[in-house]
Amino acid sequence: MCSSDLGSKIEAGDDYVVAIGLDSTAGINCSQANSMCIMGGNVGIGTTTPNYNLHINSASGSVSALQFTKSADTGTTTSDGAVIGINAANNKLAIVNREDANMDLSTNNTIRLSILGNGNVGIGTTNPNMLFDIKPSATGTIFRTQTANGLGSV
């Protein structure tokens, strides 16, 4: 372990390092590829220059992701819990629930969209009974389409 007035660096062999600096000019050398750096309040995993509060970087061709698990309920393997990340094969954003449970999107503390484990999608309902189930909270237009010639609604 080495330290300075502005930060510290912990080394464990040649491949892994944890560096903590008080600001981006701390002068802590955090150059190993497999590293975690805390610089100027930003945490970098796999990067020596974190751009945001949490910045995760991985080598080309590998997955860059966060995994959330609950050991008592979901297990902790790569096929458990939920994952948010960039797919290694095509660089697409992936949000994956590996459990047989709903995925919900909420605003204003209210579930607006639910995707069930069987693939049914509900808007305005947390229990969609068919592939795409819309239940409006008020009467009137359910959805609107727009074409080059104007608007249409259902």
Side-chain angles (χ1 to χ4, degrees):
M1 177 172 165
C2 63
S3 6
S4 72
D5 291 338
L6 297 173
S8 298
K9 181 169 79 171
I10 302 167
E11 296 184 51
D14 294 331
D15 294 330
Y16 296 92
V17 67
V18 175
I20 301 171
L22 297 178
D23 59 37
S24 60
T25 62
I28 300 298
N29 180 4
C30 186
S31 59
Q32 273 88 352
N34 298 317
S35 61
M36 182 178 90
C37 297
I38 303 172
M39 294 296 219
N42 292 345
V43 176
I45 300 173
T47 179
T48 60
T49 54
N51 296 314
Y52 295 96
N53 298 81
L54 177 61
H55 181 162
I56 299 173
N57 182 61
S58 61
S60 178
S62 61
V63 175
S64 184
L66 290 171
Q67 181 180 16
F68 302 90
T69 60
K70 291 173 42 183
S71 57
D73 299 326
T74 67
T76 59
T77 70
T78 57
S79 63
D80 292 317
V83 176
I84 299 172
I86 299 174
N87 186 307
N90 55 23
N91 293 325
K92 291 182 180 178
L93 174 67
I95 302 172
V96 180
N97 182 358
R98 298 194 184 278
E99 305 301 325
D100 185 15
N102 289 14
M103 283 181 53
D104 296 325
L105 295 177
S106 300
T107 62
N108 199 24
N109 205 29
T110 302
I111 297 172
R112 307 295 181 177
L113 182 139
S114 288
I115 304 172
L116 300 187
N118 66 5
N120 287 358
V121 176
I123 296 177
T125 178
T126 58
N127 191 23
N129 295 316
M130 54 196 71
L131 187 59
F132 189 56
D133 194 349
I134 300 173
K135 292 194 174 143
S137 59
T139 59
T141 301
I142 296 174
F143 70 90
R144 183 170 75 170
T145 61
Q146 184 170 350
T147 66
N149 297 327
L151 299 175
S153 58
V154 177

